[in-house]
Amino acid sequence: MQEAIKENYFNLMVFLKNPKDEAGPKRTVVQKIKTLLSLLLIEIPVMVVLILLISGLEQLGLVDPENHAMENLIKSVSIPVLLLVVVIIIPFFEELLFRLYLRYKDNYALHFIVAVASLTGKRNQQKATTFLRSVWTKRYKFIFYFSAVLFGMVHITNFQFSYTILLLSPLLVAPQIILGLIIGYLRVRDGFISGFLMHGLHNALFIGIGILSIVNHSEKLNFETPAYSIKIEETDDIHLQSTQQNYPDSLAYKNVSLKTILSRLLNTNEILLQTNNENQLEQTLNVYFKNKLKDSSQTKRIALNQIAKTYDFQIKKTRKHMEVWDLKVSNSSLLSKHKSTHNSHGNLVSINPKEIIIKKSNIKSLVEALTKENKRMTFDKTDLKDTYNFTLQTTNFESMSKQLEEKYGLSLIKRRMELEQTTILFLK
């Protein structure tokens, strides 16, 4: 199979450098299937890289995955119907529309023009045929590439329109453009059916991943009133990407723990949340909430009430004296060395078992990361508005404190204060 992949990759590259309307040598069905599978294996790593890049845009909040047409389709129809639509019906009609005409002999629009010309005489018919074939041959490279780009750009309609989406469109539709080039090659060399099968297999593979993620969701609540709509799904795949989106009139949490969601709705820190059922609090959820009222200040309150009813819990608040830590500047010249000077947009906050990495972010991001990693309430006492770059090895709290002091000129100072602690009391 390795040799087949190399051979088909070479043939594909040769064709794409100079596309021609020429069928490949006659081959058996088995040979055609081997070519199809080889090209599928070639495209997979390319698609994975592009999907990861697009996921990065989603993490930065530049692209809303919940407003993607395919995401909505996956959620709205049964799996058998979905597979029929995305693996057979859509590929078939898209191949008819975007690639059937890539062979002159199957280009019925051009044949129609010749037929119309024939009504004025055989000589005009021959002239029209000669002219069209000449233009077709000379411009075929442009025609072939145009079909792939057009196929890709049509898929920008899967996203909710915005100027940001328009600006990012070359990257967002790059997977479809590349797929269009590969399918176009198969359609020209091996025929319409080969291109259609490649399209169907591609959709079955990559959309199938989305279907599997939906299968792992258990719908807990799906409710709509004139005042609001809410949907809650329980997820059980810890490897899925987590996203949080908070707007004045809507909330969207994807694969986020109930604990994190409640901390956002209650405007408190996770470490100040206590419970009688830790497992329930760690349940990961998809929560989509839309406030239809004019008063957007009620968004969090209504969402919180509905979640509390769904999971049957009460919220109790108490005051408690606790140890907290204040982050202060001890050496401003040392800290200034780590000020971010990069003017590009986007920041990075990454917390893993070995280190905390913060790029182009303010001190607040560092404080939140320290609180989460050390499970010690930390407050920003620096009053700094600039952005910085930090990298801390997360061996233990003492080691991190030392790194902050010696490398970044920041000190963690302990004190006691009274804080409001929230208890989530599950009744069942």
Side-chain angles (χ1 to χ4, degrees):
M1 192 64 183
Q2 188 174 357
E3 288 301 318
I5 292 174
K6 288 181 180 179
E7 180 183 352
N8 283 292
Y9 175 78
F10 175 78
N11 292 337
L12 174 65
M13 291 300 105
V14 169
F15 178 86
L16 292 180
K17 286 179 182 177
N18 188 26
K20 293 181 180 179
D21 181 10
E22 297 176 358
K26 286 190 176 181
R27 298 185 300 159
T28 65
V29 173
V30 173
Q31 289 174 322
K32 288 183 178 182
I33 291 175
K34 187 175 286 189
T35 295
L36 192 153
L37 293 177
S38 296
L39 292 175
L40 187 64
L41 291 173
I42 288 169
E43 76 144 356
I44 286 174
V46 179
M47 293 296 165
V48 168
V49 170
L50 291 172
I51 289 169
L52 289 174
L53 288 174
I54 294 171
S55 295
L57 297 177
E58 293 174 0
Q59 287 283 65
L60 293 173
L62 299 174
V63 177
D64 183 3
E66 298 308 321
N67 282 324
H68 192 281
M70 190 54 64
E71 184 85 10
N72 295 331
L73 180 62
I74 289 174
K75 293 177 180 178
S76 61
V77 301
S78 65
I79 291 177
V81 172
L82 180 65
L83 290 173
L84 176 66
V85 171
V86 302
V87 177
I88 298 176
I89 296 176
I90 290 178
F92 180 74
F93 283 102
E94 286 187 340
E95 290 310 304
L96 285 178
L97 182 62
F98 293 103
R99 276 171 285 275
L100 179 66
Y101 68 87
L102 288 179
R103 294 301 311 278
Y104 183 87
K105 67 183 183 68
D106 296 323
N107 195 315
Y108 299 108
L110 297 184
H111 295 329
F112 177 76
I113 295 173
V114 172
V116 172
S118 70
L119 298 176
T120 62
K122 191 170 183 180
R123 186 177 178 182
N124 287 337
Q125 179 185 8
Q126 290 175 341
K127 281 184 178 181
T129 301
T130 302
F131 173 75
L132 290 174
R133 277 194 173 278
S134 175
V135 173
W136 181 262
T137 303
K138 289 179 181 178
R139 303 298 181 190
Y140 188 74
K141 189 173 185 177
F142 168 80
I143 294 168
F144 180 85
Y145 286 131
F146 176 76
S147 75
V149 173
L150 180 63
F151 173 69
M153 293 308 297
V154 164
H155 287 81
I156 199 66
T157 57
N158 287 336
F159 299 89
Q160 189 174 46
F161 177 80
S162 69
Y163 290 112
T164 301
I165 292 296
L166 192 61
L167 185 65
L168 295 171
S169 60
L171 176 58
L172 296 177
V173 300
Q176 285 81 16
I177 292 175
I178 291 173
L179 177 64
L181 293 172
I182 295 173
I183 297 176
Y185 163 74
L186 271 174
R187 187 270 173 275
V188 174
R189 299 302 301 274
D190 285 345
F192 178 85
I193 297 299
S194 289
F196 164 64
L197 290 175
M198 177 69 183
H199 197 158
L201 283 174
H202 168 91
N203 284 5
L205 177 62
F206 289 97
I207 296 176
I209 295 172
I211 293 173
L212 287 176
S213 69
I214 296 299
V215 170
N216 286 333
H217 298 169
S218 173
E219 189 170 272
K220 188 76 174 178
L221 178 68
N222 194 345
F223 191 62
E224 184 167 1
T225 73
Y228 64 87
S229 62
I230 185 169
K231 183 176 182 179
I232 301 175
E233 299 170 328
E234 294 184 343
T235 67
D236 58 6
D237 191 341
I238 61 173
H239 302 294
L240 287 176
Q241 176 181 295
S242 297
T243 59
Q244 301 179 40
Q245 294 171 306
N246 299 272
Y247 303 102
D249 64 345
S250 61
L251 307 167
Y253 300 107
K254 187 173 182 180
N255 205 44
V256 178
S257 71
L258 177 58
K259 188 174 189 176
T260 299
I261 293 170
L262 293 179
S263 71
R264 297 290 182 270
L265 298 180
L266 291 164
N267 295 317
T268 189
N269 194 283
E270 287 185 38
I271 66 172
L272 295 176
L273 285 180
Q274 303 294 313
T275 185
N276 63 336
N277 190 339
E278 194 66 37
N279 289 336
Q280 184 67 78
L281 209 58
E282 294 298 333
Q283 169 70 57
T284 53
L285 307 174
N286 294 337
V287 176
Y288 310 104
F289 179 83
K290 175 68 175 178
N291 180 9
K292 301 177 184 179
L293 302 173
K294 291 183 179 180
D295 186 4
S296 60
S297 65
Q298 300 297 311
T299 298
K300 287 186 175 181
R301 181 188 64 80
I302 298 172
L304 179 61
N305 288 341
Q306 289 304 309
I307 293 173
K309 289 179 182 178
T310 302
Y311 286 95
D312 197 16
F313 63 75
Q314 294 178 349
I315 300 172
K316 294 185 177 181
K317 296 185 177 183
T318 56
R319 305 292 296 183
K320 183 179 179 181
H321 281 87
M322 300 176 61
E323 277 188 357
V324 299
W325 299 81
D326 292 334
L327 185 70
K328 297 183 177 182
V329 178
S330 57
N331 188 330
S332 57
S333 60
L334 191 58
L335 178 62
S336 65
K337 294 179 180 179
H338 302 278
K339 188 181 294 185
S340 173
T341 56
H342 206 294
N343 293 324
S344 64
H345 296 289
N347 63 342
L348 169 69
V349 178
S350 174
I351 304 174
N352 60 62
K354 293 184 178 180
E355 59 187 0
I356 294 174
I357 300 173
I358 296 176
K359 302 292 184 183
K360 294 182 291 180
S361 296
N362 54 27
I363 297 294
K364 181 182 177 182
S365 297
L366 174 63
V367 166
E368 289 176 350
L370 290 171
T371 300
K372 184 172 183 178
E373 177 63 25
N374 297 311
K375 292 183 171 51
R376 290 175 167 89
M377 199 67 196
T378 308
F379 293 95
D380 177 15
K381 297 295 182 179
T382 65
D383 295 324
L384 297 173
K385 306 299 181 185
D386 297 314
T387 58
Y388 299 86
N389 299 320
F390 301 101
T391 300
L392 298 171
Q393 305 302 313
T394 56
T395 309
N396 52 55
F397 178 71
E398 289 72 22
S399 173
M400 292 174 67
S401 298
K402 188 175 181 181
Q403 292 173 64
L404 285 169
E405 182 79 38
E406 297 178 354
K407 186 176 179 180
Y408 299 104
L410 293 169
S411 297
L412 282 169
I413 300 172
K414 182 171 66 173
R415 64 184 174 94
R416 291 185 66 84
M417 71 173 293
E418 188 180 66
L419 292 172
E420 185 176 73
Q421 193 171 66
T422 303
T423 299
I424 306 299
L425 184 63
F426 291 93
L427 303 179
K428 291 183 180 179

